């Protein structure tokens, strides 16, 4: 179950808090709804519960706050708004990526796709899905880790009546199998149909906490919806006849040609219109909302109770608009039966257990409920490879990285050919396609952009943020991103040199493709430059939460940091490091096998260069800043 105590958001300037001291419970086996209009504080309350927003108060999920749960996604399934994911990623690829992050088998993606009916759309891109299909995918993401608790923010918003019924059936099936369901909604009639308990919010405060049957009796009342070109005349006649008969009837003008008649029936309104020759375009029974603070009126209490009982016995569902058939004043037609709030609240519910929720063979309802995906039988142990699997699927699931690499190779080849034609370019810079006037070669810029996208996409399309996937702040994911980007940068650096050398050989012959004498230090400098740019992009994008900031940090190394380092090295107080290789050989008492001291000397030479020193300094500063922001977030 969910227990929320004293949820209060931080006020902004002189405005009151959006949520002020909200406390409620959502029990296992029930569907609980937070009801309120725009600005009532529903979404803010959910974000406070999920610790995605700073404020006061605490929320327990089966007795533990979310930050004390080792695997939050396996305890709480969350959907806030649309499915957060890259629009170019496929439906199946998105779910497989989430499987890698949650540590569940990849076959789970196909299981939930079959349950939500998206098997035929598994290769579609997220950006092409309709609203209904997006909501189905969102529910698939929520059910992926087989959580006990579902938290959904206005899940039926924008859905058709058919999609809404399907979604309500899925939530009902989850609750019937012992799970806890908490949703938000703005339509009282929808809540009366789908929820077992209703918590009404108004201006950030709880104004009512009721069972669904009590809510329908005290908050909703039946009315007759009328549409006529002579609405004003019909309203006056209905009010006049009600006063003459001493009946409690309230006629409300809804604007235009619409009327709402409280306390009357379709037959009474139809007979009045027929006697006075008034044309009626619509005559239907509806359920009207009396507002968040409204109570039961004496004259309509019995009608409201009869409406709630009618729902339980298969009467018209709240909010249906059946047209009165035949002549005006004819009897009401039959309407498709809806689910019973009263019957659901009275039905027995399984009690929550301390472990996983217990699945039962069939839910205890009159109608068959949709089937849920099977439980995950094997839970994988915590593994350091989980972030690495997630990062590999994230990077390879879209074509952005491949397009950047292809563009880098094309630009490098063209630049190398032009530099060779112009001449006056050293051999090492020619193979790297690095003109003297350009601060960074194309390969380094491409690696920096790929590294910046590694964290930039996490914040632009936060696929994991809803279940405390501000995973970008987890050190395990940082290590995975650094490892994957380093491997990508290494491959890009090698391919660039290979493609440039091959094209120079084809165009100009073997003369321009000779291996330089100092190939080892030059190669080490080249690989260090490309990998360092990739890491600078990763760390800067993680610190500043932006791809643009990551790429700007990469460009700042040669433009800003290198001149500063070069000026510091040329200062009069800096001692020279001449003779460093000879001193290294003297210090090492035992000679390293295979000439290992050469590698140490090569690394020292790379770091002694202004570009190498500046890049190492930038990466170190960015890493310290990232660790500082991570620790500060955890302390908060």
């Amino acid at each position: 179950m969910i227990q929320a105590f004293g949820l209060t958001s931080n006020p902004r300037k002189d405005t009151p808090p959006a949520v002020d001291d909200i406390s409620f419970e959502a029990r296992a086996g029930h569907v609980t709804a937070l009801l309120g209009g725009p600005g009532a504080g529903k979404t803010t309350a959910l974000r406070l519960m999920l610790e995605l927003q700073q404020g006061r108060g605490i929320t327990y999920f089966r007795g533990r706050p979310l930050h004390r749960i080792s695997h939050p996604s396996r305890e709480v399934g969350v959907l806030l708004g649309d499915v957060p994911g890259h629009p170019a990623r496929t439906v199946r690829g998105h779910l497989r990526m989430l499987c890698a992050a949650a540590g569940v088998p990849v076959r789970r993606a196909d299981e939930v796709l079959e349950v939500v009916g998206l098997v035929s759309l598994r290769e579609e891109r997220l950006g092409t899905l309709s609203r209904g299909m997006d909501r189905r995918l969102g529910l698939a993401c929520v059910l992926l880790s087989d959580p006990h608790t579902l938290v959904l923010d206005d899940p039926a918003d924008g859905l058709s009546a058919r999609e809404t019924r399907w979604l309500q059936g899925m939530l009902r099936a989850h609750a019937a199998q012992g799970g806890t369901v908490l949703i938000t909604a703005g339509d009282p009639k929808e809540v009366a149909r789908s929820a077992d308990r209703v918590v009404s919010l108004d201006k950030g405060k709880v104004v009512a906490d009721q069972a669904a049957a009590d809510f329908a009796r005290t908050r909703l009342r039946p009315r007759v919806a009328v549409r006529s070109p002579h609405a004003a005349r019909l309203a006056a006649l209905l009010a006049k006849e009600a006063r003459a008969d001493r009946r409690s009837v309230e006629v409300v003008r809804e604007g235009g040609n619409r009327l709402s008649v409280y306390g009357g029936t379709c037959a009474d309104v139809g007979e009045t219109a027929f006697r006075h020759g008034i044309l009626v375009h619509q005559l239907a029974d509806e359920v009207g909302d009396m507002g968040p603070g409204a109570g039961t009126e004496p004259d309509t209490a019995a009608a409201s109770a009869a409406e709630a009982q009618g729902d339980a016995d298969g009467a018209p569902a709240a909010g249906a608009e059946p047209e009165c058939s035949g002549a005006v004043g004819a009897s009401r037609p039959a309407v498709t039966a809806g689910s019973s709030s009263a019957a659901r609240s009275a039905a027995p519910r399984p009690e929550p257990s301390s472990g996983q929720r217990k699945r039962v063979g069939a839910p205890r309802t009159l109608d068959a409920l949709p089937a849920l995906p099977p439980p995950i039988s094997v839970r994988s142990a915590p593994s350091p490879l989980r972030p690495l699997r997630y990062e590999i699927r994230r990077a390879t699931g879209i074509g952005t990285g491949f397009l950047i690499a292809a563009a880098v190779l094309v630009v490098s080849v063209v630049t190398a050919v032009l530099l060779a034609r112009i001449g006056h370019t050293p051999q090492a810079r020619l193979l790297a396609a690095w003109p003297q006037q350009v601060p960074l070669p194309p390969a380094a810029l491409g690696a920096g952009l790929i590294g910046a996208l590694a964290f930039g996409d996490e914040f632009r399309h936060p696929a994991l943020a809803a279940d405390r996937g501000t995973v970008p702040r987890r050190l395990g994911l940082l290590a995975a991103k650094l490892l994957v980007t380093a491997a990508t940068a290494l491959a890009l650096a090698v391919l660039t040199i290979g493609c440039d050398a091959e094209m120079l050989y084809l165009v100009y012959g073997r003369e321009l493709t000779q291996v330089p004498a100092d190939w080892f230090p030059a190669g080490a400098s080249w690989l260090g430059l490309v990998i360092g740019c990739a890491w600078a992009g990763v760390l800067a994008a993680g610190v500043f939460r932006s791809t643009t900031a990551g790429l700007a940090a990469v460009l700042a190394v040669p433009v800003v940091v290198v001149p500063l380092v070069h000026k510091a090295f040329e200062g009069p107080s800096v001692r020279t490091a001449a003779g460093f290789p000879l001193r290294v050989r003297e210090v090492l008492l035992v000679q390293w096998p295979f000439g290992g001291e050469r590698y140490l000397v090569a690394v020292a030479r790379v770091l002694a260069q202004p570009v190498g020193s500046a890049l190492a300094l930038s990466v170190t500063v960015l890493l310290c800043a990232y660790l500082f922001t991570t620790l500060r977030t955890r302390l908060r």
Side-chain angles (χ1 to χ4, degrees), residues 3 66 113 162 218 304 334 374 458 597-598:
Q3 296 172 302
L66 199 62
L113 281 176
R162 179 180 178 182
T218 59
S304 298
E458 295 283 3
E597 68 274 3
R598 292 189 308 157

Side-chain angles (χ1 to χ4, degrees), residues 440-462:
L440 285 176
L445 287 174
L449 179 56
I450 292 175
L453 287 172
F455 262 143
D457 283 346
E458 295 283 3
F459 295 106
R460 188 178 179 186
H461 308 290

Side-chain angles (χ1 to χ4, degrees), residues 498-522:
C499 291
D500 292 348
E502 187 69 21
M503 185 57 65
L504 290 174
Y505 174 74
L506 292 176
V507 177
Y508 300 106
R510 190 177 299 277
E511 180 183 357
L512 297 180
T513 59
Q514 297 295 328
V515 178
D518 58 343
W519 66 271
F520 184 78

Side-chain angles (χ1 to χ4, degrees), residues 141-459:
C141 297
V142 168
L143 297 175
L144 197 64
S145 300
D146 192 26
H148 174 273
T149 302
L150 302 184
V151 177
L152 302 97
D153 186 18
D154 207 358
D157 181 36
L159 297 185
S160 63
R162 179 180 178 182
E163 292 286 348
T164 300
R165 288 193 299 270
W166 175 86
L167 178 63
Q168 292 172 354
M170 292 294 294
L171 299 181
R172 177 61 50 201
H174 184 84
Q177 294 186 357
T180 304
V181 179
L182 176 65
I183 63 173
T184 66
D187 186 0
K189 293 175 286 187
E190 174 190 336
V191 167
R193 290 194 298 267
S194 61
D196 299 311
R197 191 160 193 87
V198 182
V199 180
S200 301
L201 303 181
D202 186 31
K203 297 180 180 179
K205 295 181 178 292
V206 177
V207 296
D209 189 348
Q210 306 164 290
D214 297 334
F215 169 80
R217 184 175 63 252
T218 59
R219 175 76 182 268
L220 303 177
R221 60 173 178 169
R223 68 180 178 186
V224 178
V226 184
R227 189 170 60 197
S228 171
H230 309 288
R233 181 185 171 199
L234 180 59
L237 291 172
L238 291 173
K240 180 179 178 180
E241 291 186 359
R243 287 194 300 269
D245 297 340
R246 296 183 177 182
R247 291 184 289 112
S248 177
V249 175
E250 179 184 359
V251 183
V252 178
R253 292 288 302 274
E254 301 290 351
N257 59 354
R258 296 181 63 89
L259 297 176
S260 292
V261 181
Y262 296 94
T265 64
C266 273
D268 296 337
V269 177
E271 290 175 1
T272 301
F274 179 78
R275 285 198 306 268
H276 296 85
I278 298 177
L279 178 65
V280 175
H281 290 161
Q282 181 192 25
L283 197 59
D285 283 318
E286 288 185 348
V287 174
D289 182 16
M290 299 171 62
T296 303
E297 294 191 8
D299 294 326
T300 60
S304 298
E307 179 74 16
Q309 183 63 32
D311 282 348
D313 296 335
E321 295 189 2
E323 299 288 342
C324 288
S325 58
V328 175
S331 60
R332 279 183 282 175
V335 188
T336 304
S339 301
S340 166
S341 300
R344 286 196 300 268
S345 61
R349 300 289 180 187
E351 294 297 327
S353 60
S354 57
Q356 276 296 109
R357 58 187 172 90
K358 183 179 180 181
R359 304 256 184 183
V360 294
R364 298 180 181 178
T365 52
L366 296 178
D367 300 327
L369 294 177
L372 292 177
I376 301 175
S377 56
V378 179
R379 295 287 188 180
S380 59
S383 170
L385 296 180
R386 277 177 45 198
L388 184 60
R389 294 193 191 102
Y390 164 78
E391 180 59 24
I392 292 174
R393 290 190 178 276
R394 186 206 64 79
T396 59
I398 55 178
T400 305
F402 300 103
L403 292 177
I404 293 174
V408 165
L409 293 179
V410 171
V411 172
S412 296
V413 167
V414 173
T415 304
V417 172
L418 293 179
L419 289 177
R421 184 178 183 83
I422 296 173
H424 310 292
T425 303
Q427 182 71 9
R429 280 184 169 265
L430 183 62
L431 291 177
W434 188 358
Q436 295 281 357
Q437 300 79 10
V438 178
L440 285 176
L445 287 174
L449 179 56
I450 292 175
L453 287 172
F455 262 143
D457 283 346
E458 295 283 3
F459 295 106

